[in-house]
PDB file of all heavy atoms in Angstrom:
ATOM      1  N   TYR A 296     120.245 184.824  39.298  1.00  0.00           N
ATOM      2  CA  TYR A 296     120.169 185.668  38.011  1.00  0.00           C
ATOM      3  C   TYR A 296     120.961 186.996  38.417  1.00  0.00           C
ATOM      4  O   TYR A 296     120.936 187.513  39.468  1.00  0.00           O
ATOM      5  CB  TYR A 296     118.954 185.891  37.630  1.00  0.00           C
ATOM      6  CG  TYR A 296     118.019 184.701  37.330  1.00  0.00           C
ATOM      7  CD1 TYR A 296     117.300 184.233  38.286  1.00  0.00           C
ATOM      8  CD2 TYR A 296     118.117 184.034  36.226  1.00  0.00           C
ATOM      9  CE1 TYR A 296     116.427 183.086  38.211  1.00  0.00           C
ATOM     10  CE2 TYR A 296     117.436 182.816  35.909  1.00  0.00           C
ATOM     11  CZ  TYR A 296     116.580 182.416  37.024  1.00  0.00           C
ATOM     12  OH  TYR A 296     115.870 181.184  36.831  1.00  0.00           O
ATOM     13  N   PRO A 297     121.701 187.614  37.302  1.00  0.00           N
ATOM     14  CA  PRO A 297     122.347 188.930  37.574  1.00  0.00           C
ATOM     15  C   PRO A 297     121.203 189.892  38.011  1.00  0.00           C
ATOM     16  O   PRO A 297     120.161 189.942  37.467  1.00  0.00           O
ATOM     17  CB  PRO A 297     122.893 189.281  36.210  1.00  0.00           C
ATOM     18  CG  PRO A 297     123.062 188.004  35.523  1.00  0.00           C
ATOM     19  CD  PRO A 297     122.006 187.165  36.047  1.00  0.00           C
ATOM     20  N   GLY A 298     121.533 190.698  39.090  1.00  0.00           N
ATOM     21  CA  GLY A 298     120.583 191.712  39.583  1.00  0.00           C
ATOM     22  C   GLY A 298     119.904 191.204  40.817  1.00  0.00           C
ATOM     23  O   GLY A 298     119.186 191.932  41.534  1.00  0.00           O
ATOM     24  N   ASP A 299     120.068 189.887  41.174  1.00  0.00           N
ATOM     25  CA  ASP A 299     119.485 189.325  42.380  1.00  0.00           C
ATOM     26  C   ASP A 299     120.410 189.606  43.629  1.00  0.00           C
ATOM     27  O   ASP A 299     120.133 189.107  44.716  1.00  0.00           O
ATOM     28  CB  ASP A 299     119.298 187.826  42.227  1.00  0.00           C
ATOM     29  CG  ASP A 299     118.057 187.497  41.425  1.00  0.00           C
ATOM     30  OD1 ASP A 299     117.397 188.489  40.958  1.00  0.00           O
ATOM     31  OD2 ASP A 299     117.956 186.270  41.083  1.00  0.00           O
ATOM     32  N   GLN A 300     121.569 190.280  43.464  1.00  0.00           N
ATOM     33  CA  GLN A 300     122.448 190.404  44.568  1.00  0.00           C
ATOM     34  C   GLN A 300     121.857 191.098  45.879  1.00  0.00           C
ATOM     35  O   GLN A 300     122.198 190.883  46.892  1.00  0.00           O
ATOM     36  CB  GLN A 300     123.725 191.299  44.145  1.00  0.00           C
ATOM     37  CG  GLN A 300     124.600 190.580  43.124  1.00  0.00           C
ATOM     38  CD  GLN A 300     124.151 191.097  41.726  1.00  0.00           C
ATOM     39  OE1 GLN A 300     123.016 191.098  41.369  1.00  0.00           O
ATOM     40  NE2 GLN A 300     125.158 191.507  40.910  1.00  0.00           N
ATOM     41  N   GLN A 301     120.800 192.035  45.498  1.00  0.00           N
ATOM     42  CA  GLN A 301     120.223 192.841  46.581  1.00  0.00           C
ATOM     43  C   GLN A 301     119.430 192.013  47.576  1.00  0.00           C
ATOM     44  O   GLN A 301     119.213 192.353  48.653  1.00  0.00           O
ATOM     45  CB  GLN A 301     119.353 193.857  45.989  1.00  0.00           C
ATOM     46  CG  GLN A 301     119.990 194.851  45.018  1.00  0.00           C
ATOM     47  CD  GLN A 301     121.194 195.618  45.557  1.00  0.00           C
ATOM     48  OE1 GLN A 301     121.105 195.940  46.837  1.00  0.00           O
ATOM     49  NE2 GLN A 301     122.300 195.679  44.878  1.00  0.00           N
ATOM     50  N   SER A 302     119.026 190.717  46.991  1.00  0.00           N
ATOM     51  CA  SER A 302     118.220 189.824  47.912  1.00  0.00           C
ATOM     52  C   SER A 302     119.111 188.856  48.738  1.00  0.00           C
ATOM     53  O   SER A 302     118.562 188.037  49.405  1.00  0.00           O
ATOM     54  CB  SER A 302     117.260 189.031  47.086  1.00  0.00           C
ATOM     55  OG  SER A 302     118.025 188.202  46.170  1.00  0.00           O
ATOM     56  N   ILE A 303     120.423 189.016  48.650  1.00  0.00           N
ATOM     57  CA  ILE A 303     121.366 188.100  49.312  1.00  0.00           C
ATOM     58  C   ILE A 303     121.995 188.816  50.489  1.00  0.00           C
ATOM     59  O   ILE A 303     122.455 190.008  50.427  1.00  0.00           O
ATOM     60  CB  ILE A 303     122.451 187.612  48.324  1.00  0.00           C
ATOM     61  CG1 ILE A 303     121.774 187.032  47.112  1.00  0.00           C
ATOM     62  CG2 ILE A 303     123.313 186.692  48.961  1.00  0.00           C
ATOM     63  CD1 ILE A 303     120.958 185.804  47.363  1.00  0.00           C
ATOM     64  N   THR A 304     122.115 188.103  51.653  1.00  0.00           N
ATOM     65  CA  THR A 304     122.871 188.645  52.766  1.00  0.00           C
ATOM     66  C   THR A 304     124.052 187.615  52.945  1.00  0.00           C
ATOM     67  O   THR A 304     123.811 186.492  53.243  1.00  0.00           O
ATOM     68  CB  THR A 304     122.058 188.624  54.084  1.00  0.00           C
ATOM     69  OG1 THR A 304     120.937 189.506  53.833  1.00  0.00           O
ATOM     70  CG2 THR A 304     122.879 189.147  55.252  1.00  0.00           C
ATOM     71  N   PHE A 305     125.328 188.078  52.688  1.00  0.00           N
ATOM     72  CA  PHE A 305     126.448 187.296  52.830  1.00  0.00           C
ATOM     73  C   PHE A 305     126.934 187.149  54.208  1.00  0.00           C
ATOM     74  O   PHE A 305     126.975 188.138  55.064  1.00  0.00           O
ATOM     75  CB  PHE A 305     127.564 187.802  51.947  1.00  0.00           C
ATOM     76  CG  PHE A 305     127.256 187.896  50.480  1.00  0.00           C
ATOM     77  CD1 PHE A 305     126.891 188.891  49.809  1.00  0.00           C
ATOM     78  CD2 PHE A 305     127.299 186.631  49.729  1.00  0.00           C
ATOM     79  CE1 PHE A 305     126.572 188.921  48.419  1.00  0.00           C
ATOM     80  CE2 PHE A 305     127.062 186.567  48.415  1.00  0.00           C
ATOM     81  CZ  PHE A 305     126.594 187.754  47.736  1.00  0.00           C
ATOM     82  N   GLY A 306     127.471 185.908  54.498  1.00  0.00           N
ATOM     83  CA  GLY A 306     128.078 185.669  55.842  1.00  0.00           C
ATOM     84  C   GLY A 306     129.537 185.792  55.785  1.00  0.00           C
ATOM     85  O   GLY A 306     130.178 186.422  54.967  1.00  0.00           O
ATOM     86  N   THR A 307     130.192 185.183  56.747  1.00  0.00           N
ATOM     87  CA  THR A 307     131.764 185.221  56.850  1.00  0.00           C
ATOM     88  C   THR A 307     132.251 184.271  55.876  1.00  0.00           C
ATOM     89  O   THR A 307     131.593 183.390  55.317  1.00  0.00           O
ATOM     90  CB  THR A 307     132.187 184.899  58.196  1.00  0.00           C
ATOM     91  OG1 THR A 307     131.680 183.634  58.576  1.00  0.00           O
ATOM     92  CG2 THR A 307     131.715 185.944  59.217  1.00  0.00           C
ATOM     93  N   LYS A 308     133.560 184.522  55.496  1.00  0.00           N
ATOM     94  CA  LYS A 308     134.279 183.545  54.638  1.00  0.00           C
ATOM     95  C   LYS A 308     134.510 182.190  55.104  1.00  0.00           C
ATOM     96  O   LYS A 308     134.262 182.056  56.480  1.00  0.00           O
ATOM     97  CB  LYS A 308     135.502 184.209  54.078  1.00  0.00           C
ATOM     98  CG  LYS A 308     136.642 184.232  55.197  1.00  0.00           C
ATOM     99  CD  LYS A 308     137.842 184.930  54.553  1.00  0.00           C
ATOM    100  CE  LYS A 308     139.035 184.775  55.427  1.00  0.00           C
ATOM    101  NZ  LYS A 308     139.523 183.448  55.646  1.00  0.00           N
ATOM    102  N   SER A 309     135.022 181.263  54.472  1.00  0.00           N
ATOM    103  CA  SER A 309     135.212 179.971  54.910  1.00  0.00           C
ATOM    104  C   SER A 309     136.346 179.997  55.870  1.00  0.00           C
ATOM    105  O   SER A 309     137.049 180.882  56.058  1.00  0.00           O
ATOM    106  CB  SER A 309     135.449 178.942  53.803  1.00  0.00           C
ATOM    107  OG  SER A 309     136.643 179.418  53.048  1.00  0.00           O
ATOM    108  N   ARG A 310     136.519 178.811  56.551  1.00  0.00           N
ATOM    109  CA  ARG A 310     137.541 178.699  57.606  1.00  0.00           C
ATOM    110  C   ARG A 310     138.936 178.806  57.076  1.00  0.00           C
ATOM    111  O   ARG A 310     139.860 179.231  57.744  1.00  0.00           O
ATOM    112  CB  ARG A 310     137.360 177.338  58.431  1.00  0.00           C
ATOM    113  CG  ARG A 310     137.581 176.167  57.459  1.00  0.00           C
ATOM    114  CD  ARG A 310     137.478 174.779  58.101  1.00  0.00           C
ATOM    115  NE  ARG A 310     137.432 173.727  57.116  1.00  0.00           N
ATOM    116  CZ  ARG A 310     138.471 173.226  56.561  1.00  0.00           C
ATOM    117  NH1 ARG A 310     139.662 173.697  56.826  1.00  0.00           N
ATOM    118  NH2 ARG A 310     138.395 172.225  55.675  1.00  0.00           N
TER     119      ARG A 310
END
Side-chain angles (χ1 to χ4, degrees):
Y296 306 96
D299 286 352
Q300 297 95 311
Q301 303 303 319
S302 62
I303 306 298
T304 301
F305 293 101
T307 58
K308 71 180 187 68
S309 61
R310 59 180 172 81

